[in-house]
Amino acid sequence: MKKIGLLFVLISVFIFGQQSALEQKINSIIKDKNATVGISVLGFENGFKYNKNADKKLPMQSVFKFHIAAAVLDYVDQGKLSLDHKILLDKTNLLENTWSPLRDKYQQGNVEVPLSEILEYTVAKSDNNGCDIMLKLLGGTETVQKFMNSKGVKGFQIKFNEADMHKDWNAQYQNYSTAASATEVLKKFYDGKLLSKKSTDYLMKVMLSTSTGKNKLIEQLPENTPVARKTGASGKNNAGLTGAENEIAVVTLPNGKHYAIAVFVSNSTETDAVNCKMISDISKSAWDYFNR
């Protein structure tokens, strides 16, 4: 019994030392940065948790497209929508002056495309027009809020769509999440507690194909590491302030285990490069911790 007790103490000391090293590394990354950085890391199989500023309500920007896509797929699960449902794209929903690979593909509009294509462009390519098309199908942001509330998701609020945020810089602050909420909702998603297995597998596949933000969470991870992710970014306002530079993800480790990570950089006067490098470095630190 004494040997078992000693072994437990030694293991505990080792784990604490590793966590302390992670804390020190992350502190060194964000030290002296003129920004609020919310961080949450959650090990799925071992229950590991690391949080820093993880209870702060920070603007999500396009990270909220994960929550919107989940709400759409909930409607699909309920039979209220179908991924084959055709949507007419025209000048009324392919707005100019916004990020929209969908508009770039269908420049002339007047074409019907399936909801699946809208969803995939919205999540994997962060299409703003696709986002607002899906919100309109749902009846507005209230539907997304009610869905997340029904699943016990705390620290999350959605009030405005992409068009609203483009009109008013301050609107983004009403679309917030805590970093802890982001990792917790990703764990619910992974565990099949948000959607059916079919919809979970589908959305996971879409997130694995995300092409935006390659200089953030995945930048320093080994090539071909499976990372199901959603990015978000506000850009800078005229005063040089970045409202949000964000990313959330489910990462698969070489041993087949998983962790969720959320990094929200908010109200930053640092350059875009510095903001993204912080996310990249924090991601690498978390990866190193799990692969120690």
Side-chain angles (χ1 to χ4, degrees), residues 164-226:
D164 291 330
M165 287 196 292
H166 276 68
K167 293 173 185 174
D168 181 1
W169 172 265
N170 290 320
Q172 67 180 302
Y173 294 96
Q174 295 300 309
N175 290 341
Y176 64 70
S177 175
T178 67
S181 174
T183 55
E184 287 163 9
V185 76
L186 287 175
K187 179 66 162 61
K188 287 177 185 286
F189 167 61
Y190 176 84
D191 288 342
K193 294 179 179 178
L194 286 187
L195 303 166
S196 69
K197 185 179 188 309
K198 183 178 180 181
S199 289
T200 299
D201 291 346
Y202 171 68
L203 184 52
M204 188 71 75
K205 183 178 180 181
V206 173
M207 293 173 71
L208 285 166
S209 72
T210 292
S211 59
T212 55
K214 292 181 179 180
N215 61 339
K216 295 195 273 190
L217 286 181
I218 65 170
E219 182 180 46
Q220 298 182 60
L221 302 190
E223 191 174 357
N224 298 321
T225 297

Side-chain angles (χ1 to χ4, degrees), residues 232-250:
S234 67
K236 288 189 177 294
N237 65 9
N238 292 333
L241 186 72
T242 298
E245 189 72 68
N246 303 336
E247 191 162 10
I248 67 172
V250 175

